[in-house]
């Protein structure tokens, strides 16, 4: 939810510059949990659901054993457990970003779930536009039409870009 909320000003920034004539970019986020994270969340739900009542000592002991196992994996330094922990807890791995090319009327013209099928220049253009929108979000006050002062260093960002694209991106 936090990621979706923070995308709103980035998308607002993307809407200020044409990605192509009559086309703007919009970024959406999709939940994409790894299987390890799904299993981890299911295990947590099973542990906390229901009762830990002393009257049902067998169920409480099963929950305790399951919780003890999870805590053991979370605190383990074994490679497999560290990998599992990353898959479960690193929320950056739980989402996928998708760029939509949209018309001013809001119609989706094209979708980029990854950079497959794009030429080198098209990949570069997509990355630069998203980067520029994110920088604008970081450097501009919401009510400001232009960003406040900030230094940005781009190493070889426009090395093979045509002059029109470089000017448009900047």
């Amino acid at each position: 939810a936090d990621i979706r909320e923070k995308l709103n000003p980035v998308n607002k920034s993307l809407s200020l510059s044409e990605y192509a004539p009559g086309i703007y970019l919009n970024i959406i986020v999709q939940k994409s949990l790894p299987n390890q994270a799904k299993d981890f969340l299911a295990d947590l739900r099973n542990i906390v659901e229901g009762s830990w009542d002393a009257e049902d000592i067998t169920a409480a002991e099963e929950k305790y054993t399951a919780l003890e196992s999870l805590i053991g994996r979370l605190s383990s330094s074994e490679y497999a457990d560290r990998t599992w922990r990353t898959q479960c807890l690193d929320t950056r791995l739980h989402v996928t970003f998708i760029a939509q090319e949209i018309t001013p009327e809001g119609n989706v013209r094209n979708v980029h779930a990854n950079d497959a099928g794009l030429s080198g220049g098209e990949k570069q253009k997509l990355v630069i536009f998203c980067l520029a929108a994110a920088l604008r979000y970081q450097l501009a006050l919401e009510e400001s039409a232009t960003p406040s002062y900030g230094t940005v260093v781009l190493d070889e960002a426009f090395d093979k870009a045509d002059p029109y694209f470089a000017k448009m991106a900047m």
Side-chain angles (χ1 to χ4, degrees):
D2 193 34
I3 292 170
R4 281 186 188 86
E5 184 181 311
K6 289 185 177 186
L7 270 178
N8 290 334
V10 173
N11 281 324
K12 184 177 178 184
S13 179
L14 282 168
S15 73
L16 298 174
S17 300
E18 287 186 331
Y19 180 68
I23 299 295
Y24 298 85
L25 278 185
N26 185 62
I27 301 172
I28 59 172
V29 65
Q30 286 185 334
K31 194 174 185 178
S32 128
L33 288 174
N35 287 333
Q36 296 94 327
K38 289 177 188 174
D39 294 343
F40 174 67
L41 292 172
D43 290 343
L44 287 176
R45 268 191 292 284
N46 290 334
I47 290 167
V48 299
E49 283 179 349
S51 172
W52 282 72
D53 224 335
E55 294 162 10
D56 190 2
I57 195 72
T58 304
E61 285 178 349
E62 288 173 3
K63 289 176 185 245
Y64 176 83
T65 301
L67 181 59
E68 183 180 42
S69 174
L70 281 181
I71 291 172
R73 287 194 82 182
L74 289 168
S75 61
S76 171
S77 60
E78 294 292 321
Y79 175 78
D81 289 333
R82 288 192 329 253
T83 302
W84 170 83
R85 182 173 53 236
T86 299
Q87 291 292 313
C88 293
L89 301 180
D90 189 344
T91 56
R92 297 171 298 179
L93 303 175
H94 300 177
V95 294
T96 302
F97 295 97
I98 298 171
Q100 298 175 319
E101 293 182 23
I102 58 172
T103 65
E105 300 78 33
N107 299 319
V108 177
R109 192 189 102 190
N110 201 357
V111 175
H112 305 286
N114 56 43
D115 63 6
L118 297 177
S119 70
E122 290 168 329
K123 290 177 190 179
Q124 187 179 41
K125 181 178 180 181
L126 183 62
V127 168
I128 290 295
F129 261 79
C130 294
L131 174 63
L135 285 170
R136 180 178 176 80
Y137 162 67
Q138 290 294 326
L139 298 176
L141 299 173
E142 191 169 326
E143 64 278 358
S144 175
T146 58
S148 58
Y149 177 78
T151 301
V152 178
V153 177
L154 299 172
D155 182 23
E156 299 180 21
F158 302 103
D159 62 335
K160 295 179 182 158
D162 66 41
Y164 170 76
F165 166 70
K167 182 179 178 187
M168 185 173 47
M170 293 305 287

